[in-house]
Amino acid sequence: MTHDGMTQCETAVLHGGPADGVTIRVTHRPGVVQVTHPCTVEGPAGGMRIAALYIYRRDLRVTEEPLRYGFDAVSP
């Protein structure tokens, strides 16, 4: 937060995994970022959308922009 109560966006870079090198804007420095990618459905889905889920965790050692989020290969 800034001193006037406005939320400040910060630049962050994703490292590793399928979104390696992607730059995003975050607020409040979330500990985890979820990245989804749509999957092709080969049969009746009943209106559902299927997506692969990838987890990126914030590197707490990085305290200035760009923040860094690393791919967590073991997250569900």
Side-chain angles (χ1 to χ4, degrees):
M1 295 281 260
T2 62
H3 67 283
D4 62 2
M6 300 297 291
T7 301
Q8 180 178 341
C9 288
E10 296 179 279
T11 300
V13 177
L14 304 180
H15 288 272
D20 186 46
V22 171
T23 300
I24 61 173
R25 301 286 288 165
V26 296
T27 58
H28 305 295
R29 294 187 175 188
V32 175
V33 173
Q34 295 181 5
V35 174
T36 61
H37 188 274
C39 296
T40 302
V41 177
E42 295 182 8
M48 289 185 289
R49 292 178 285 165
I50 310 299
L53 175 66
Y54 304 98
I55 304 294
Y56 288 79
R57 297 189 185 278
R58 186 163 61 92
D59 183 339
L60 300 176
R61 299 170 294 182
V62 179
T63 59
E64 296 180 359
E65 290 185 78
L67 301 175
R68 177 185 169 109
Y69 285 78
F71 177 63
D72 185 342
V74 297
S75 290

